[in-house]
Structure formats: C-alpha cells, structure tokens
C-alpha cells in the first residue's frame, strides 16, 4: 500500500515513518499543505494520513478540495484540535477517520486497518481473495489452495495492488510507485524481475502483460487450477 503522510512535526513524522514502513508499505512524507495538495492532484495513493495545521494550505481545505475533485482516497486526520465541532468539521469535509494527538501508534495501526477494510468490504477482514489466491495483508502470507508462503516485501506490494484492482490494467509507473515512492531509485528491470517471481507462484496466465502499458491480474485465470 502506498501512503502519503502529511505532518509538519518532524520528530513525530519520523516515528510514524518507521512504524508504517514496517508493515510492507511504501510511505511518502510531506510537511507542507500546498505540496500535499499538488501530490494528491498528480499521483495515486492508497491512504492519506493528514495533519490539519500545515504551512500554506490547511489540512481541512485539502480534504475539501480533493473530495470536490472526485478523489476518494481514504483520509485519516491527525490533529491536536480536540473539540467536537472540529472533529465534525473534519468528517463532514470528507475525512474517513479522525485521531487526536497524542495517540498510540497501535491505535493508528488499528484505524488504518479499519479504514482500508471499508474500501474493500467484500474482502476477508485481514485479506484479499481473487480466485484461488488469498493474500493476508497483515502478515504478507499468500495462500493458494491451502498452501501458504510469506512474500518478500516487493512481491507483496505488487500483488496487493493487483489483487485490489483485478481485471484492471496497472501501469508500470503505478506499480513502481507502490515499490519505491519518491525516495529510492528505480532499477530498470526490477519490476519485471518481481513479476517473474510472482508468476512462478500464482501461474503465468494469472498476471497478464498488457504490452506497452503494464500488467493486469486476470481473475478468471486466478480461479483456474495450475
């Protein structure tokens, strides 16, 4: 999962980055409201964790603008604003959840699980299923017909995205964003290597190449015996 963290408290942000990256996520961090607004207009994220009091553009205005633009990315607000009216304003603007500072990292993890579950209500509580494939999103375990294996982080991130969007073409750029975000260089053939390894696990026809565009998880092939 690719997460955008928008927080101008650098000490808190670094603590959150360490926690979020432990859970097989790619996390990009910004400390400025205008930069966050630009990023949300130009790039894809699976979740936004958003402070309200930010330089240049307030977090509440960011939520309002992206919802007006039809962007339905899940948003969890983090803020020191604790009054009921302020919480209601955040939720009414389009946020999916609201967590006041200070908070425990365990609670943030639980809120993330709850918010992402809502976006895939037809999936099992802790995972995704497409055909014979079941992916536990908490442990990165892939089960196929009862046999289970722990996926390396890169393979998990790619398969997680493809299983959340079966039968939809994922561009090469979109998948590389899941792997690298903004902070790491992209090796020229790294994506192909990870796709090759995944195909050996799930079947060659399950992940289709759309020439010149990217890759797609074929739900029909995923339901067929190897």
């Amino acid at each position: 999962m690719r997460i955008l963290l928008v927080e101008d408290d650098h000490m808190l942000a670094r603590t959150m980055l360490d926690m979020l990256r432990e859970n097989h996520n790619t996390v990009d961090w910004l400390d400025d409201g205008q930069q966050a607004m630009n990023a949300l207009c130009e790039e894809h994220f699976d979740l936004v964790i958003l402070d309200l009091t930010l330089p240049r553009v307030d977090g509440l205005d960011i939520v309002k603008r992206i919802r007006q633009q039809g962007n339905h990315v899940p948003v969890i607000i983090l803020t020191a604003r604790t009054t009921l009216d302020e919480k209601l304003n955040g939720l009414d603007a389009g946020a999916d959840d609201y967590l006041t500072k200070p908070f425990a990292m365990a609670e943030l993890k639980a809120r993330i699980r709850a918010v992402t579950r809502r976006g895939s209500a037809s999936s099992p509580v802790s995972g995704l299923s497409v055909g014979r494939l079941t992916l536990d999103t908490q442990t990165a375990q892939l089960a196929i017909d009862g046999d289970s294996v722990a996926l390396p982080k890169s393979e998990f991130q790619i398969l997680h995205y493809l299983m959340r969007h079966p039968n939809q073409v994922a561009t090469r750029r979109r998948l590389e964003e899941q792997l690298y975000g903004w902070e790491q260089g992209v090796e020229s053939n790294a994506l192909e290597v990870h796709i090759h390894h995944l195909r050996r696990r799930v079947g060659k026809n399950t992940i289709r190449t759309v020439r010149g565009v990217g890759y797609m998880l074929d739900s029909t092939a995923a339901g067929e015996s190897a």
Side-chain angles (χ1 to χ4, degrees), residues 9-225:
D9 181 332
H10 288 206
M11 184 176 295
L12 174 60
R14 291 189 182 99
T15 300
M16 293 172 63
L17 286 170
D18 290 341
M19 180 273 291
L20 292 168
R21 286 172 175 160
E22 288 176 355
N23 286 37
H24 305 285
N25 300 306
T26 297
V27 189
D28 294 313
W29 170 37
L30 293 172
D31 62 2
D32 177 271
Q34 185 60 59
Q35 292 177 353
M37 189 71 243
N38 295 342
L40 287 165
C41 289
E42 296 170 4
E43 301 196 40
H44 169 85
F45 298 92
D46 300 300
L47 175 69
V48 181
I49 301 174
L50 178 68
D51 189 19
L52 288 187
T53 305
L54 295 166
R56 298 207 287 172
V57 181
D58 187 79
L60 195 60
D61 291 331
I62 292 173
V63 177
K64 290 177 181 177
R65 291 187 199 179
I66 64 172
R67 295 306 190 229
Q68 288 169 356
Q69 294 167 2
N71 187 337
H72 300 295
V73 60
V75 176
I76 298 175
I77 287 176
L78 300 181
T79 184
R81 304 176 191 176
T82 60
T83 71
L84 177 59
D85 285 345
E86 287 167 331
K87 292 180 180 181
L88 294 176
N89 286 339
L91 296 171
D92 288 342
D96 297 88
D97 206 344
Y98 196 111
L99 192 57
T100 56
K101 302 175 183 178
F103 57 88
M105 290 298 167
E107 183 177 5
L108 176 58
K109 289 182 180 181
R111 300 292 184 103
I112 291 171
R113 290 194 296 270
V115 165
T116 53
R117 269 204 308 270
R118 294 173 204 159
S120 54
S122 61
S123 299
V125 168
S126 63
L128 297 167
S129 289
V130 180
R132 297 161 49 244
L133 313 180
T134 299
L135 183 64
D136 189 313
T137 58
Q138 303 305 313
T139 65
Q141 292 277 333
L142 171 65
I144 306 176
D145 293 338
D147 295 325
S148 183
V149 62
L151 295 180
K153 180 179 178 181
S154 295
E155 291 180 36
F156 169 80
Q157 289 172 318
I158 294 170
L159 187 60
H160 182 236
Y161 185 87
L162 292 174
M163 288 181 67
R164 288 183 63 203
H165 305 89
N167 303 315
Q168 299 178 32
V169 179
T171 65
R172 179 188 180 91
R173 177 184 175 187
R174 181 62 53 81
L175 292 176
E176 287 175 343
E177 287 174 351
Q178 299 299 308
L179 290 174
Y180 301 104
W182 299 325
E183 294 194 0
Q184 302 181 31
V186 180
E187 299 176 21
S188 60
N189 68 337
L191 181 60
E192 286 82 359
V193 171
H194 297 314
I195 292 290
H196 172 74
H197 290 159
L198 279 172
R199 282 175 167 156
R200 293 178 64 181
R201 300 182 193 278
V202 303
K204 181 179 179 180
N205 295 328
T206 300
I207 300 177
R208 292 173 44 194
T209 299
V210 181
R211 193 167 300 279
V213 182
Y215 300 92
M216 183 183 79
L217 183 77
D218 187 319
S219 63
T220 300
E224 296 173 350
S225 299

